[in-house]
Amino acid sequence: MLSSLHVKNLALIQEAEVEFGPELNILTGETGAGKSILIGSINLALGKKLSRDMIREGENSALVELVFDTENPRVEEILREMEIESLHGQVLIARKFTGGRSISRINGETCTAAQVRKIASLLLDIHGQHEHQSLLYPDRQLEILDAYGKEEIEPVRTGVAEAFGQWKKLQAGLREYELDEDARMREISFLEFEIGEITDAQLKEGEDEALEHSYRKMSNGKRILEALAAVRALTGENEAQSAGEQIGRAVRELSQIAGLDESIEQMHSSLLTIDDLLSDFNRELAGYMDEFSFSEEEYFETENRLDEINRLKSKYGDSIAAIHRYRDEKQEKLEKMQHFEEQKEKLQREEEKARQILEGCSEKLSLLRKKYAERLAGNIEEGLRDLNFLHVAFEIRFGRAAQYTDHGYDTVEFRISTNPGEPLRTLAKVVSGGELSRIMLAIKTILADRDETETLIFDEIDTGISGRTAQMVSEKMARIGQRHQVLCITHLPQIAAMADRHFEIRKDVEDQETVTSIHALDEDHSVLELARMLGGAKITDSVIANAKEMKELARVQKNTRLK
């Protein structure tokens, strides 16, 4: 369940922390007090986009934190999959907004919006003020049916999605064969040209690198030879002033006196080593210069070959390996084109086989849906009678879509009759906004009994109802609260009276600033809030008496009839 909510610097909320209880938590307050901000803050924590003006005036950042206590083992499993530390039955979701950026965290670890949504889907379900309008859309109706039979339907629906993906892949492959004969021959000619151009070049791996090395060497040949000749003159033995000649003379001079002193002997030995090294260097230099020769023809051929390779790179790939891969791909495509009819017929057979598999999977899914549709329609009828639809009839009608989708070929249509003798019609043609919200409440109640979601949030689901219907909605809310934690924003005293915990959302002016706050109400203050909801601006003793009576009747109902 959602055990606490912490909001800071959001809209009119300076800072608020609320601790919710199990069962039915009711939130009430005057129009404009900021009831929607509370549900909005929860949505923001779960990834909804924040407009800049939602951050409190004069502040640079805002924060929303949700703390959940859960016994759902699936939550721990998802946390492990996401490599997020477990807090052993507790989940902390936080989102901080600074400027135009936001950071989300689960159990203190930074995470993505997708990860937040994934974990939140197991923890709570939010029914917004206008969500019941989604009931008018066939896609949403199909989602509700699939959610109702999720345990059996979900694996089959996954199989349908996989079969659909394979069929679409083969269809895409077939589109490559949608060419007339002239276009096919042009394509073959072009492929043959590209393949021939690459093959005729006879490219070898590493050839481009070797050629570039040779080309650089030949391009700088004159400069290299001039520099080496200068080095040879400075270090060789044939020039009077060269290093080799000078060291040779020094060796001869030292050799005459080396035997006279040990230190001189060591210097003589070192100089001999230098003389040997310089001689080795000069031999290596001479050998390099003797071998360093090339013709203008060799230079021209190297340049042309590099130009050819670079031209092919610009057309087919940035390396010789990439050019070869390109040729292999085009060769494969050419073979398909040359065996066009044979390949097309083979692919058509594969596509038809995949379509039959998809048809079979979709049929299996459809049969399952029809089984659950009958049960769901019966449950919705029963739930609607609990919500003052006394003569209701409800059915789920099936149709077949013009095309396959990744969830099969079914279309569904929720149809209802609310008066005796009236035919069943689509929801849009029969129900009002208030009736539609009651239908959604009935559906939410049914789905809540079948899934693992521990917390349900209803934002003014009581729109457009009053009197006896309001009383029956309050009983339905209390009944849901016996099996799930429920947070409900309401303006109806009948629903508020059923609260296990009652919170007032209030707007006050503090230090010339408007501030929204939320307070848990004790029994006496809950009665006063009910009196305000009953009596409006003037709260008389009789209104307070009515509020006390309403609270007591709600307590009796919860302890007897709703048990």
Side-chain angles (χ1 to χ4, degrees), residues 38-190:
L38 200 69
I39 300 300
S41 65
I42 295 174
N43 276 316
L44 288 172
L46 303 183
K48 187 177 179 181
K49 188 175 180 181
L50 174 81
S51 61
R52 182 65 184 84
D53 58 6
M54 283 285 287
I55 296 178
R56 184 173 172 79
E57 186 70 30
E59 303 292 342
N60 296 318
S61 64
L63 174 69
V64 183
E65 292 179 316
L66 310 176
V67 179
F68 294 89
D69 293 316
T70 178
E71 298 177 357
N72 185 349
R74 179 71 179 137
V75 172
E76 293 292 320
E77 185 181 327
I78 293 295
L79 289 174
R80 282 195 300 273
E81 287 176 8
M82 295 191 295
E83 298 181 349
I84 291 175
E85 183 181 359
S86 168
L87 298 181
H88 308 293
Q90 195 170 76
V91 178
L92 171 62
I93 297 176
R95 191 176 180 200
K96 185 173 183 179
F97 304 89
T98 306
R101 298 176 60 252
S102 71
I103 297 175
S104 295
R105 289 187 171 86
I106 298 175
N107 291 353
E109 298 185 32
T110 303
C111 60
T112 65
Q115 288 176 311
V116 173
R117 287 193 296 270
K118 187 172 184 178
I119 200 76
S121 67
L122 297 173
L123 296 169
L124 80 168
D125 179 24
I126 300 178
H127 180 87
Q129 289 187 42
H130 307 294
E131 188 189 342
H132 55 271
Q133 295 293 331
S134 68
L135 266 181
L136 301 177
Y137 300 105
D139 287 350
R140 177 63 175 138
Q141 294 172 5
L142 187 64
E143 286 176 13
I144 288 168
L145 174 57
D146 286 352
Y148 178 74
K150 181 179 179 180
E151 190 172 330
E152 269 194 276
I153 287 175
E154 185 63 29
V156 180
R157 181 165 166 161
T158 300
V160 168
E162 291 171 356
F164 177 78
Q166 181 61 25
W167 176 65
K168 291 296 286 184
K169 182 180 176 181
L170 290 167
Q171 275 200 321
L174 267 176
R175 280 196 287 273
E176 294 182 12
Y177 290 87
E178 294 175 358
L179 296 173
D180 59 34
E181 187 62 18
D182 288 342
R184 185 167 73 92
M185 295 310 295
R186 286 195 299 272
E187 181 73 6
I188 288 173
S189 177
F190 183 65

Side-chain angles (χ1 to χ4, degrees), residues 230-249 278:
V231 170
R232 191 173 186 179
L234 292 169
T235 62
E237 298 177 355
N238 300 324
E239 298 291 335
Q241 299 301 317
S242 70
E245 179 61 28
Q246 297 294 329
I247 290 173
R249 286 175 60 189
L278 192 57

Side-chain angles (χ1 to χ4, degrees), residues 184 188 192 331 333-340:
R184 185 167 73 92
I188 288 173
E192 287 175 336
Q331 184 66 47
K333 187 172 183 180
L334 176 61
E335 289 171 5
K336 286 183 180 179
M337 287 291 178
Q338 289 171 334
H339 302 87
F340 184 81

